[in-house]
Amino acid sequence: ATVRRECQEAKRQLQEVQKKFEHGLPRAEAELLRERNERLEEERNGLRRERKRHMEIADQAAQQAKQLLAMREAQGEEVAQLKERITQLEASSDDGLIIGRLQRQLTTT
């Protein structure tokens, strides 16, 4: 009878320990960790969305910068062509010289 009681007491203690340390932690602590994990996952997902939005904005900005550089280059080429034309006008005749000088003054201001 004593051995039987000891066996039943050991089983009861085992069940208590198993109940208390579900998955290695007390139930309340495990639940707190699960809730914290869910919050952190939601925060991570929000940060990923924000990162994606910022990357899209950065891509747009890079594309706009490329376009501006291309426009600047085209404008520089156009100015160079105009200066060449002015030089040609200046060399062609006296009237061309006057017109060329006037145009040069306009393009430098």
Side-chain angles (χ1 to χ4, degrees):
T2 310
V3 173
R4 188 175 219 178
R5 245 184 280 134
E6 287 177 9
C7 185
Q8 288 176 346
E9 180 63 22
K11 283 183 182 179
R12 186 188 64 75
Q13 287 177 356
L14 175 63
Q15 288 173 346
E16 265 184 45
V17 168
Q18 286 175 336
K19 187 177 179 182
K20 181 177 179 182
F21 294 103
E22 180 181 1
H23 303 292
L25 288 175
R27 188 177 304 236
E29 285 182 45
E31 187 59 34
L32 286 174
L33 285 176
R34 282 188 201 101
E35 289 172 6
R36 181 172 184 252
N37 188 44
E38 287 175 14
R39 281 193 315 272
L40 290 174
E41 284 179 354
E42 289 173 10
E43 184 179 342
R44 180 197 63 199
N45 292 337
L47 291 171
R48 283 182 175 169
R49 285 189 298 273
E50 189 174 340
R51 182 194 71 192
K52 183 179 178 183
R53 184 176 61 84
H54 287 296
M55 288 177 70
E56 289 171 356
I57 291 170
D59 289 343
Q60 285 179 340
Q63 186 62 32
Q64 289 173 349
K66 285 181 186 177
Q67 290 172 345
L68 284 173
L69 289 174
M71 287 173 54
R72 177 191 257 175
E73 186 178 321
Q75 188 178 29
E77 290 174 5
E78 184 179 354
V79 168
Q81 290 173 355
L82 288 172
K83 286 182 180 181
E84 178 64 30
R85 179 69 180 132
I86 290 169
T87 304
Q88 290 172 358
L89 284 173
E90 288 175 342
S92 66
S93 67
D94 289 338
D95 290 337
L97 178 64
I98 294 168
I99 293 170
R101 284 184 182 163
L102 289 172
Q103 287 182 342
R104 187 179 301 275
Q105 287 175 357
L106 288 173
T107 58
T108 57
T109 57

